[in-house]
PDB file of all heavy atoms in Angstrom:
ATOM      1  N   ARG Q 106      25.747  41.050  -0.892  1.00  0.00           N
ATOM      2  CA  ARG Q 106      24.972  39.794  -0.860  1.00  0.00           C
ATOM      3  C   ARG Q 106      25.679  38.713  -0.061  1.00  0.00           C
ATOM      4  O   ARG Q 106      25.051  37.794   0.443  1.00  0.00           O
ATOM      5  CB  ARG Q 106      24.690  39.321  -2.290  1.00  0.00           C
ATOM      6  CG  ARG Q 106      25.923  38.895  -3.074  1.00  0.00           C
ATOM      7  CD  ARG Q 106      25.478  38.261  -4.401  1.00  0.00           C
ATOM      8  NE  ARG Q 106      26.597  37.775  -5.178  1.00  0.00           N
ATOM      9  CZ  ARG Q 106      26.485  36.852  -6.128  1.00  0.00           C
ATOM     10  NH1 ARG Q 106      25.306  36.336  -6.403  1.00  0.00           N
ATOM     11  NH2 ARG Q 106      27.524  36.448  -6.796  1.00  0.00           N
ATOM     12  N   VAL Q 107      26.992  38.836   0.037  1.00  0.00           N
ATOM     13  CA  VAL Q 107      27.746  37.850   0.812  1.00  0.00           C
ATOM     14  C   VAL Q 107      27.509  38.083   2.310  1.00  0.00           C
ATOM     15  O   VAL Q 107      27.275  37.151   3.073  1.00  0.00           O
ATOM     16  CB  VAL Q 107      29.252  37.966   0.480  1.00  0.00           C
ATOM     17  CG1 VAL Q 107      30.067  36.964   1.287  1.00  0.00           C
ATOM     18  CG2 VAL Q 107      29.463  37.750  -1.021  1.00  0.00           C
ATOM     19  N   HIS Q 108      27.517  39.346   2.693  1.00  0.00           N
ATOM     20  CA  HIS Q 108      27.319  39.696   4.105  1.00  0.00           C
ATOM     21  C   HIS Q 108      25.946  39.220   4.610  1.00  0.00           C
ATOM     22  O   HIS Q 108      25.794  38.794   5.743  1.00  0.00           O
ATOM     23  CB  HIS Q 108      27.459  41.213   4.275  1.00  0.00           C
ATOM     24  CG  HIS Q 108      27.972  41.606   5.619  1.00  0.00           C
ATOM     25  ND1 HIS Q 108      28.610  42.797   5.858  1.00  0.00           N
ATOM     26  CD2 HIS Q 108      27.953  40.972   6.816  1.00  0.00           C
ATOM     27  CE1 HIS Q 108      28.944  42.881   7.132  1.00  0.00           C
ATOM     28  NE2 HIS Q 108      28.557  41.781   7.735  1.00  0.00           N
ATOM     29  N   ARG Q 109      24.954  39.318   3.732  1.00  0.00           N
ATOM     30  CA  ARG Q 109      23.597  38.867   4.101  1.00  0.00           C
ATOM     31  C   ARG Q 109      23.545  37.384   4.424  1.00  0.00           C
ATOM     32  O   ARG Q 109      22.623  36.919   5.090  1.00  0.00           O
ATOM     33  CB  ARG Q 109      22.632  39.117   2.924  1.00  0.00           C
ATOM     34  CG  ARG Q 109      22.219  40.539   2.743  1.00  0.00           C
ATOM     35  CD  ARG Q 109      21.656  40.775   1.347  1.00  0.00           C
ATOM     36  NE  ARG Q 109      20.420  40.054   1.125  1.00  0.00           N
ATOM     37  CZ  ARG Q 109      19.204  40.617   1.132  1.00  0.00           C
ATOM     38  NH1 ARG Q 109      19.092  41.908   1.382  1.00  0.00           N
ATOM     39  NH2 ARG Q 109      18.131  39.913   0.918  1.00  0.00           N
ATOM     40  N   GLU Q 110      24.479  36.621   3.916  1.00  0.00           N
ATOM     41  CA  GLU Q 110      24.425  35.158   4.043  1.00  0.00           C
ATOM     42  C   GLU Q 110      25.418  34.599   5.062  1.00  0.00           C
ATOM     43  O   GLU Q 110      25.552  33.386   5.192  1.00  0.00           O
ATOM     44  CB  GLU Q 110      24.700  34.507   2.683  1.00  0.00           C
ATOM     45  CG  GLU Q 110      23.678  34.817   1.609  1.00  0.00           C
ATOM     46  CD  GLU Q 110      22.334  34.110   1.824  1.00  0.00           C
ATOM     47  OE1 GLU Q 110      22.188  33.367   2.814  1.00  0.00           O
ATOM     48  OE2 GLU Q 110      21.423  34.325   0.996  1.00  0.00           O
ATOM     49  N   VAL Q 111      26.114  35.468   5.795  1.00  0.00           N
ATOM     50  CA  VAL Q 111      27.101  34.945   6.757  1.00  0.00           C
ATOM     51  C   VAL Q 111      26.369  34.145   7.838  1.00  0.00           C
ATOM     52  O   VAL Q 111      25.198  34.370   8.118  1.00  0.00           O
ATOM     53  CB  VAL Q 111      27.964  36.074   7.390  1.00  0.00           C
ATOM     54  CG1 VAL Q 111      28.788  36.768   6.332  1.00  0.00           C
ATOM     55  CG2 VAL Q 111      27.119  37.073   8.163  1.00  0.00           C
ATOM     56  N   PRO Q 112      27.064  33.154   8.412  1.00  0.00           N
ATOM     57  CA  PRO Q 112      26.410  32.302   9.413  1.00  0.00           C
ATOM     58  C   PRO Q 112      26.021  33.071  10.660  1.00  0.00           C
ATOM     59  O   PRO Q 112      26.685  34.032  11.044  1.00  0.00           O
ATOM     60  CB  PRO Q 112      27.491  31.263   9.743  1.00  0.00           C
ATOM     61  CG  PRO Q 112      28.784  31.901   9.363  1.00  0.00           C
ATOM     62  CD  PRO Q 112      28.468  32.773   8.198  1.00  0.00           C
ATOM     63  N   LYS Q 113      24.898  32.677  11.244  1.00  0.00           N
ATOM     64  CA  LYS Q 113      24.512  33.279  12.517  1.00  0.00           C
ATOM     65  C   LYS Q 113      25.038  32.413  13.670  1.00  0.00           C
ATOM     66  O   LYS Q 113      25.582  31.325  13.435  1.00  0.00           O
ATOM     67  CB  LYS Q 113      23.010  33.438  12.588  1.00  0.00           C
ATOM     68  CG  LYS Q 113      22.210  32.151  12.544  1.00  0.00           C
ATOM     69  CD  LYS Q 113      20.715  32.452  12.586  1.00  0.00           C
ATOM     70  CE  LYS Q 113      19.927  31.160  12.481  1.00  0.00           C
ATOM     71  NZ  LYS Q 113      18.476  31.371  12.457  1.00  0.00           N
ATOM     72  N   ALA Q 114      24.874  32.887  14.898  1.00  0.00           N
ATOM     73  CA  ALA Q 114      25.389  32.181  16.069  1.00  0.00           C
ATOM     74  C   ALA Q 114      24.955  30.717  16.052  1.00  0.00           C
ATOM     75  O   ALA Q 114      23.768  30.420  15.907  1.00  0.00           O
ATOM     76  CB  ALA Q 114      24.915  32.867  17.346  1.00  0.00           C
ATOM     77  N   GLY Q 115      25.908  29.805  16.183  1.00  0.00           N
ATOM     78  CA  GLY Q 115      25.604  28.385  16.252  1.00  0.00           C
ATOM     79  C   GLY Q 115      25.595  27.696  14.907  1.00  0.00           C
ATOM     80  O   GLY Q 115      25.470  26.481  14.812  1.00  0.00           O
ATOM     81  N   GLU Q 116      25.725  28.469  13.837  1.00  0.00           N
ATOM     82  CA  GLU Q 116      25.528  27.934  12.497  1.00  0.00           C
ATOM     83  C   GLU Q 116      26.861  27.699  11.764  1.00  0.00           C
ATOM     84  O   GLU Q 116      27.829  28.402  12.010  1.00  0.00           O
ATOM     85  CB  GLU Q 116      24.684  28.931  11.709  1.00  0.00           C
ATOM     86  CG  GLU Q 116      23.982  28.364  10.493  1.00  0.00           C
ATOM     87  CD  GLU Q 116      23.081  29.390   9.804  1.00  0.00           C
ATOM     88  OE1 GLU Q 116      23.549  30.523   9.523  1.00  0.00           O
ATOM     89  OE2 GLU Q 116      21.934  29.078   9.530  1.00  0.00           O
ATOM     90  N   ILE Q 117      26.846  26.714  10.880  1.00  0.00           N
ATOM     91  CA  ILE Q 117      27.933  26.538   9.906  1.00  0.00           C
ATOM     92  C   ILE Q 117      27.353  26.873   8.545  1.00  0.00           C
ATOM     93  O   ILE Q 117      26.415  26.223   8.099  1.00  0.00           O
ATOM     94  CB  ILE Q 117      28.451  25.086   9.875  1.00  0.00           C
ATOM     95  CG1 ILE Q 117      28.953  24.650  11.261  1.00  0.00           C
ATOM     96  CG2 ILE Q 117      29.536  24.925   8.830  1.00  0.00           C
ATOM     97  CD1 ILE Q 117      29.425  23.191  11.322  1.00  0.00           C
ATOM     98  N   ALA Q 118      27.862  27.902   7.896  1.00  0.00           N
ATOM     99  CA  ALA Q 118      27.433  28.211   6.529  1.00  0.00           C
ATOM    100  C   ALA Q 118      28.500  27.688   5.575  1.00  0.00           C
ATOM    101  O   ALA Q 118      29.692  27.831   5.831  1.00  0.00           O
ATOM    102  CB  ALA Q 118      27.239  29.699   6.334  1.00  0.00           C
ATOM    103  N   ILE Q 119      28.047  27.045   4.502  1.00  0.00           N
ATOM    104  CA  ILE Q 119      28.991  26.563   3.494  1.00  0.00           C
ATOM    105  C   ILE Q 119      28.721  27.293   2.197  1.00  0.00           C
ATOM    106  O   ILE Q 119      27.640  27.164   1.622  1.00  0.00           O
ATOM    107  CB  ILE Q 119      28.855  25.038   3.299  1.00  0.00           C
ATOM    108  CG1 ILE Q 119      28.988  24.364   4.666  1.00  0.00           C
ATOM    109  CG2 ILE Q 119      29.898  24.523   2.330  1.00  0.00           C
ATOM    110  CD1 ILE Q 119      29.102  22.878   4.605  1.00  0.00           C
ATOM    111  N   PHE Q 120      29.685  28.099   1.787  1.00  0.00           N
ATOM    112  CA  PHE Q 120      29.533  28.884   0.563  1.00  0.00           C
ATOM    113  C   PHE Q 120      30.057  28.086  -0.621  1.00  0.00           C
ATOM    114  O   PHE Q 120      31.220  27.710  -0.661  1.00  0.00           O
ATOM    115  CB  PHE Q 120      30.327  30.189   0.656  1.00  0.00           C
ATOM    116  CG  PHE Q 120      29.713  31.253   1.520  1.00  0.00           C
ATOM    117  CD1 PHE Q 120      28.563  31.019   2.262  1.00  0.00           C
ATOM    118  CD2 PHE Q 120      30.302  32.528   1.583  1.00  0.00           C
ATOM    119  CE1 PHE Q 120      27.992  32.022   3.053  1.00  0.00           C
ATOM    120  CE2 PHE Q 120      29.736  33.525   2.362  1.00  0.00           C
ATOM    121  CZ  PHE Q 120      28.594  33.278   3.101  1.00  0.00           C
ATOM    122  N   ASN Q 121      29.190  27.858  -1.594  1.00  0.00           N
ATOM    123  CA  ASN Q 121      29.560  27.244  -2.845  1.00  0.00           C
ATOM    124  C   ASN Q 121      29.796  28.411  -3.800  1.00  0.00           C
ATOM    125  O   ASN Q 121      28.846  29.024  -4.272  1.00  0.00           O
ATOM    126  CB  ASN Q 121      28.392  26.362  -3.300  1.00  0.00           C
ATOM    127  CG  ASN Q 121      28.678  25.604  -4.578  1.00  0.00           C
ATOM    128  OD1 ASN Q 121      29.557  25.999  -5.343  1.00  0.00           O
ATOM    129  ND2 ASN Q 121      27.939  24.541  -4.810  1.00  0.00           N
ATOM    130  N   ARG Q 122      31.036  28.746  -4.055  1.00  0.00           N
ATOM    131  CA  ARG Q 122      31.478  30.016  -4.626  1.00  0.00           C
ATOM    132  C   ARG Q 122      31.230  31.116  -3.595  1.00  0.00           C
ATOM    133  O   ARG Q 122      30.505  30.912  -2.623  1.00  0.00           O
ATOM    134  CB  ARG Q 122      30.766  30.379  -5.930  1.00  0.00           C
ATOM    135  CG  ARG Q 122      30.876  29.304  -7.016  1.00  0.00           C
ATOM    136  CD  ARG Q 122      30.265  29.793  -8.328  1.00  0.00           C
ATOM    137  NE  ARG Q 122      30.198  28.731  -9.314  1.00  0.00           N
ATOM    138  CZ  ARG Q 122      31.177  28.481 -10.185  1.00  0.00           C
ATOM    139  NH1 ARG Q 122      32.252  29.222 -10.216  1.00  0.00           N
ATOM    140  NH2 ARG Q 122      31.061  27.489 -11.047  1.00  0.00           N
ATOM    141  N   SER Q 123      31.782  32.286  -3.853  1.00  0.00           N
ATOM    142  CA  SER Q 123      31.758  33.321  -2.804  1.00  0.00           C
ATOM    143  C   SER Q 123      32.178  34.649  -3.377  1.00  0.00           C
ATOM    144  O   SER Q 123      32.237  34.813  -4.604  1.00  0.00           O
ATOM    145  CB  SER Q 123      32.736  32.933  -1.696  1.00  0.00           C
ATOM    146  OG  SER Q 123      34.064  32.979  -2.220  1.00  0.00           O
ATOM    147  N   HIS Q 124      32.528  35.587  -2.510  1.00  0.00           N
ATOM    148  CA  HIS Q 124      33.028  36.892  -2.934  1.00  0.00           C
ATOM    149  C   HIS Q 124      34.305  36.783  -3.780  1.00  0.00           C
ATOM    150  O   HIS Q 124      34.647  37.718  -4.478  1.00  0.00           O
ATOM    151  CB  HIS Q 124      33.262  37.788  -1.721  1.00  0.00           C
ATOM    152  CG  HIS Q 124      33.912  37.088  -0.548  1.00  0.00           C
ATOM    153  ND1 HIS Q 124      33.296  36.086   0.156  1.00  0.00           N
ATOM    154  CD2 HIS Q 124      35.100  37.273   0.065  1.00  0.00           C
ATOM    155  CE1 HIS Q 124      34.075  35.672   1.150  1.00  0.00           C
ATOM    156  NE2 HIS Q 124      35.177  36.385   1.121  1.00  0.00           N
ATOM    157  N   TYR Q 125      34.996  35.630  -3.710  1.00  0.00           N
ATOM    158  CA  TYR Q 125      36.204  35.519  -4.527  1.00  0.00           C
ATOM    159  C   TYR Q 125      35.897  35.543  -6.008  1.00  0.00           C
ATOM    160  O   TYR Q 125      36.733  35.961  -6.813  1.00  0.00           O
ATOM    161  CB  TYR Q 125      36.993  34.263  -4.137  1.00  0.00           C
ATOM    162  CG  TYR Q 125      37.686  34.487  -2.812  1.00  0.00           C
ATOM    163  CD1 TYR Q 125      37.129  34.069  -1.619  1.00  0.00           C
ATOM    164  CD2 TYR Q 125      38.882  35.202  -2.777  1.00  0.00           C
ATOM    165  CE1 TYR Q 125      37.746  34.345  -0.410  1.00  0.00           C
ATOM    166  CE2 TYR Q 125      39.509  35.478  -1.564  1.00  0.00           C
ATOM    167  CZ  TYR Q 125      38.922  35.047  -0.392  1.00  0.00           C
ATOM    168  OH  TYR Q 125      39.538  35.332   0.803  1.00  0.00           O
ATOM    169  N   GLU Q 126      34.706  35.082  -6.380  1.00  0.00           N
ATOM    170  CA  GLU Q 126      34.321  35.142  -7.792  1.00  0.00           C
ATOM    171  C   GLU Q 126      34.382  36.570  -8.325  1.00  0.00           C
ATOM    172  O   GLU Q 126      34.624  36.793  -9.498  1.00  0.00           O
ATOM    173  CB  GLU Q 126      32.894  34.609  -7.992  1.00  0.00           C
ATOM    174  CG  GLU Q 126      32.718  33.159  -7.585  1.00  0.00           C
ATOM    175  CD  GLU Q 126      33.326  32.183  -8.584  1.00  0.00           C
ATOM    176  OE1 GLU Q 126      33.177  32.397  -9.794  1.00  0.00           O
ATOM    177  OE2 GLU Q 126      33.956  31.201  -8.136  1.00  0.00           O
ATOM    178  N   GLU Q 127      34.099  37.516  -7.440  1.00  0.00           N
ATOM    179  CA  GLU Q 127      34.026  38.925  -7.870  1.00  0.00           C
ATOM    180  C   GLU Q 127      35.404  39.551  -8.083  1.00  0.00           C
ATOM    181  O   GLU Q 127      35.519  40.706  -8.475  1.00  0.00           O
ATOM    182  CB  GLU Q 127      33.215  39.747  -6.877  1.00  0.00           C
ATOM    183  CG  GLU Q 127      31.784  40.020  -7.322  1.00  0.00           C
ATOM    184  CD  GLU Q 127      30.948  38.761  -7.385  1.00  0.00           C
ATOM    185  OE1 GLU Q 127      30.840  38.043  -6.373  1.00  0.00           O
ATOM    186  OE2 GLU Q 127      30.392  38.498  -8.476  1.00  0.00           O
ATOM    187  N   VAL Q 128      36.453  38.795  -7.771  1.00  0.00           N
ATOM    188  CA  VAL Q 128      37.783  39.248  -8.144  1.00  0.00           C
ATOM    189  C   VAL Q 128      38.260  38.407  -9.326  1.00  0.00           C
ATOM    190  O   VAL Q 128      38.754  38.907 -10.314  1.00  0.00           O
ATOM    191  CB  VAL Q 128      38.799  39.108  -6.994  1.00  0.00           C
ATOM    192  CG1 VAL Q 128      40.066  39.907  -7.320  1.00  0.00           C
ATOM    193  CG2 VAL Q 128      38.202  39.576  -5.689  1.00  0.00           C
ATOM    194  N   LEU Q 129      38.073  37.092  -9.190  1.00  0.00           N
ATOM    195  CA  LEU Q 129      38.637  36.164 -10.178  1.00  0.00           C
ATOM    196  C   LEU Q 129      38.050  36.352 -11.561  1.00  0.00           C
ATOM    197  O   LEU Q 129      38.780  36.512 -12.537  1.00  0.00           O
ATOM    198  CB  LEU Q 129      38.374  34.722  -9.716  1.00  0.00           C
ATOM    199  CG  LEU Q 129      39.087  34.326  -8.414  1.00  0.00           C
ATOM    200  CD1 LEU Q 129      38.383  33.148  -7.755  1.00  0.00           C
ATOM    201  CD2 LEU Q 129      40.536  33.996  -8.716  1.00  0.00           C
ATOM    202  N   VAL Q 130      36.712  36.362 -11.652  1.00  0.00           N
ATOM    203  CA  VAL Q 130      36.078  36.404 -12.973  1.00  0.00           C
ATOM    204  C   VAL Q 130      36.383  37.724 -13.695  1.00  0.00           C
ATOM    205  O   VAL Q 130      36.859  37.697 -14.831  1.00  0.00           O
ATOM    206  CB  VAL Q 130      34.566  36.117 -12.864  1.00  0.00           C
ATOM    207  CG1 VAL Q 130      33.911  36.166 -14.233  1.00  0.00           C
ATOM    208  CG2 VAL Q 130      34.328  34.762 -12.201  1.00  0.00           C
TER     209      VAL Q 130
END
Side-chain angles (χ1 to χ4, degrees):
Chain Q
R106 66 173 183 158
V107 179
H108 210 157
R109 284 162 66 103
E110 297 287 1
V111 297
K113 63 182 178 182
E116 200 176 50
I117 302 177
I119 307 190
F120 284 5
N121 183 339
R122 304 186 188 269
S123 66
H124 42 295
Y125 285 96
E126 299 285 318
E127 260 67 56
V128 194
L129 295 158
V130 180

